[in-house]
Amino acid sequence: MTLAAVTAGLVQLCVSDDPARNLITTRALIREATGRGAGFVLTPEATNILNADRKTQDRVLCTEDSDPTLAALRAEARELGIWLLIGSLSLKTGDPEDSRFANRSFLIAPDGGIVARYDKLHMFDVRVSPTETYRESASFRPGATAMVAEGPWPIGMTVCYDLRFPHLYRDLAKAGAQVLTVPAAFNVTTGAAHWEVLLRARAIETGCYVLAPAQAGLHENVLSPGRPPRRSYGHTMAVDPWGKVLADAGTEPGVTLVTLDPAAVVGARSRIPSLTHDRVYSGP
């Protein structure tokens, strides 16, 4: 596959718990990115909703076949003629044996077709501090399959907490990925400490571009007022295959553009061909 340079538009959002309202903002920023020359647009994790209240989730979430955000964004990609990575949507699965939701990323082709789906593998079950605990697996079921999708470039699809598992990214690169996507809604505490260094490490280890559109700011609870709002770290980033940060979007919603150059992947991998240097070892 001969790759051409492509301009990627990374969308940074601050979604609420109201999918209909979030869709208006998302569509506007996708159109802004396209109008500025992006042929490949990416949105963050939780593009349709960010809310941990199970009653609200049960009331507003849909299955993939009936989700209005997915339908609208597929139509948007078709109308604009772009590749679109929907970072992830929270969706009902219809599984009678497991009522938890899916945290699902989609790659949409310029004709609006779904090229690939990826369910987040690793659940954010952590205790960040004595007063800050998360248990994503209580509401979302983990995926079981890694994904390299054929888009404008071969794309290794991941989501947020996956970033902490380097073997996944190495496997994606060895399976052909030259771009790694990490849509996220990163926690503020861990984001400040780890976000940039982990993104740069994944790029350096694999010789891939890393594109990480993020949620940013304080997420308003419109449909569940009175519930404490969550805050996300922001700092949408693009990192080149040598580990250089090409863009950092800061903490405000908006669009960030970067150009992907095939020669950068070839150059990084020829200088440090670590993907071909695996050795069999014993222990520990």
Side-chain angles (χ1 to χ4, degrees):
M1 179 181 181
T2 302
L3 300 179
V6 63
T7 298
L10 285 71
V11 171
Q12 183 156 285
L13 295 172
C14 180
V15 301
S16 70
D17 62 353
D18 183 349
R21 192 172 84 167
N22 298 333
L23 178 58
I24 295 170
T25 301
T26 302
R27 291 177 71 179
L29 290 175
I30 290 171
R31 292 192 173 205
E32 178 185 336
T34 305
R36 291 169 58 189
F40 177 31
V41 180
L42 304 87
T43 69
E45 180 183 26
T47 289
N48 60 336
I49 180 174
L50 195 53
N51 181 285
D53 180 60
R54 186 58 185 260
K55 290 182 179 179
T56 302
Q57 292 170 331
D58 279 328
R59 187 168 78 251
V60 304
L61 295 188
C62 304
T63 62
E64 179 180 318
D65 290 344
S66 61
D67 185 71
T69 299
L70 178 58
L73 294 185
R74 289 180 66 186
E76 201 72 31
R78 183 170 59 249
E79 180 178 342
L80 297 172
I82 59 168
W83 286 94
L84 175 64
L85 182 96
I86 304 173
S88 80
L89 301 176
S90 299
L91 298 168
K92 292 179 177 177
T93 68
D95 185 345
E97 297 182 359
D98 189 339
S99 62
R100 291 179 296 173
F101 310 114
N103 191 346
R104 184 169 297 161
S105 186
F106 294 89
L107 180 63
I108 310 300
D111 64 2
I114 298 174
V115 172
R117 301 167 176 81
Y118 166 75
D119 285 4
K120 183 178 180 180
L121 282 172
H122 300 96
M123 297 290 98
F124 190 56
D125 292 354
V126 303
R127 188 183 185 203
V128 175
S129 72
T131 60
E132 195 173 6
T133 300
Y134 299 88
R135 187 166 173 78
E136 187 178 14
S137 65
S139 295
F140 291 87
R141 67 182 194 185
T145 305
M147 174 59 65
V148 176
E150 291 300 327
W153 286 30
I155 297 168
M157 297 171 66
T158 72
V159 176
C160 202
Y161 189 53
D162 287 334
L163 182 60
R164 294 183 180 273
F165 301 86
H167 53 279
L168 170 61
Y169 293 84
R170 184 173 181 83
D171 288 345
L172 292 169
K174 293 183 78 171
Q178 297 195 33
V179 172
L180 301 169
T181 55
V182 193
F186 232 69
N187 167 270
V188 171
T189 303
T190 59
H194 302 150
W195 175 242
E196 179 180 331
V197 69
L198 287 173
L199 292 171
R200 294 186 67 199
R202 298 299 84 87
I204 293 165
E205 292 161 354
T206 63
C208 289
Y209 279 96
V210 175
L211 303 180
Q215 295 282 351
L218 197 64
H219 303 284
E220 188 178 359
N221 291 321
V222 179
L223 304 181
S224 50
R227 186 176 180 85
R230 174 179 162 169
R231 186 181 294 275
S232 292
Y233 179 63
H235 293 277
T236 285
M237 281 194 180
V239 183
D240 81 1
W242 194 245
K244 178 183 177 181
V245 175
L246 300 176
D248 178 339
T251 58
E252 295 299 321
V255 172
T256 299
L257 298 182
V258 293
T259 299
L260 310 186
D261 178 4
V265 176
V266 174
R269 291 181 176 181
S270 64
R271 293 166 75 183
I272 309 289
S274 60
L275 290 176
T276 64
H277 286 172
D278 291 287
R279 288 178 54 83
V280 177
Y281 51 87
S282 60

